[in-house]
Amino acid sequence: MKIKEPSTIKTLFSWKMLCILALGFSSGVPFLVIKDVLKAWMTDQHVDITVIGLFSAVSLPYTFKFVWSPLMDRYIPTFLGRRRGWMISAQLGLLVAIAFLGQIDPTQSLTAMAIVAMAIAFFSASQDIVLDAFRREYLTDEELGLGTGIWINAYRLANLATVGVAFALADKIGYPNVYWILAAMMLVGITATLLAPEPKNDAPPPRTLK
């Protein structure tokens, strides 16, 4: 007897895909917070253009995330599970770091601003590491194509929302208040992480780098 496959429409509007949408959005928020919004704020405060250019280096954790990704696969947090535990840790780190970044004066504390921006990049890269693992384990092979498409579009939506909110409100409420709003955007991913089930993974954590 042939098993009837669920329709694409039903799958598209399922809780699982809504979760993927929210997590894709969460993945897309932090990058432009330090890439475009921060540079716009520094430009608005007349920070030297050379210094602004040097701030591009704060995105280095995205390049080197392969260094600590094995540790996130090897060690399991004591709460929420192997994937969700790391997800919520990175997301809470992002929420706090983004909010804190907005309270630093770019004309007075560039070193502190660079450190916090680097922390945002680190938490963001860490979130991406575990979200990639979560997505692959959470979705079946049949759902992976649709889920990845939803994820990518949610990521791009978050990019647009981050820059759009920042540039639309900066002149009205100031960048420190804008950063509170950007930090609150992480609540979308945090909520999805808390509500989503931990993916079933029978494979034990790797014991060595090999």
Side-chain angles (χ1 to χ4, degrees):
M1 180 178 178
K2 186 177 180 180
I3 300 175
K4 186 178 180 181
E5 296 290 339
S7 68
T8 301
I9 297 298
K10 186 176 180 180
T11 302
L12 182 63
F13 290 99
S14 66
W15 159 249
K16 183 176 279 191
M17 292 304 166
L18 181 61
C19 178
I20 288 297
L21 178 71
L23 292 174
F25 184 89
S26 178
S27 178
V29 169
F31 182 64
L32 292 189
V33 167
I34 56 175
K35 180 179 180 292
D36 289 353
V37 180
L38 181 58
K39 290 180 180 179
W41 185 16
M42 294 170 70
T43 301
D44 188 63
Q45 294 297 308
H46 307 292
V47 175
D48 186 85
I49 192 170
T50 303
V51 175
I52 296 174
L54 290 173
F55 260 70
S56 299
V58 302
S59 63
L60 283 176
Y62 289 102
T63 302
F64 292 101
K65 63 184 179 181
F66 68 90
V67 174
W68 68 91
S69 61
L71 299 177
M72 298 182 74
D73 196 33
R74 164 65 181 86
Y75 295 101
I76 302 176
T78 57
F79 50 91
L80 293 184
R82 184 177 181 182
R83 304 307 182 196
R84 293 165 65 237
W86 284 119
M87 285 159 59
I88 199 71
S89 299
Q91 289 162 347
L92 290 174
L94 283 166
L95 187 151
V96 172
I98 292 171
F100 185 58
L101 182 64
Q103 312 317 305
I104 301 173
D105 187 342
T107 64
Q108 301 294 326
S109 306
L110 280 174
T111 300
M113 181 165 275
I115 292 171
V116 177
M118 184 74 78
I120 291 173
F122 172 78
F123 286 126
S124 178
S126 299
Q127 179 187 222
D128 288 347
I129 289 168
V130 68
L131 284 181
D132 284 344
F134 175 88
R135 184 175 71 247
R136 186 61 191 91
E137 294 171 355
Y138 186 49
L139 299 176
T140 65
D141 291 344
E142 292 74 19
E143 295 168 336
L144 190 59
L146 178 61
T148 300
I150 291 173
W151 185 284
I152 291 171
N153 282 286
Y155 184 96
R156 292 173 177 169
L157 176 63
N159 288 169
L160 292 173
T162 300
V163 175
V165 166
F167 293 169
L169 298 179
D171 290 339
K172 299 177 181 178
I173 64 175
Y175 277 99
N177 289 322
V178 163
Y179 270 84
W180 285 114
I181 296 174
L182 298 180
M185 285 181 164
M186 292 306 305
L187 293 172
V188 174
I190 290 171
T191 302
T193 297
L194 292 174
L195 295 178
E198 177 70 12
K200 185 178 179 181
N201 186 347
D202 296 328
R207 294 290 178 180
T208 67
L209 288 176
K210 181 179 178 180

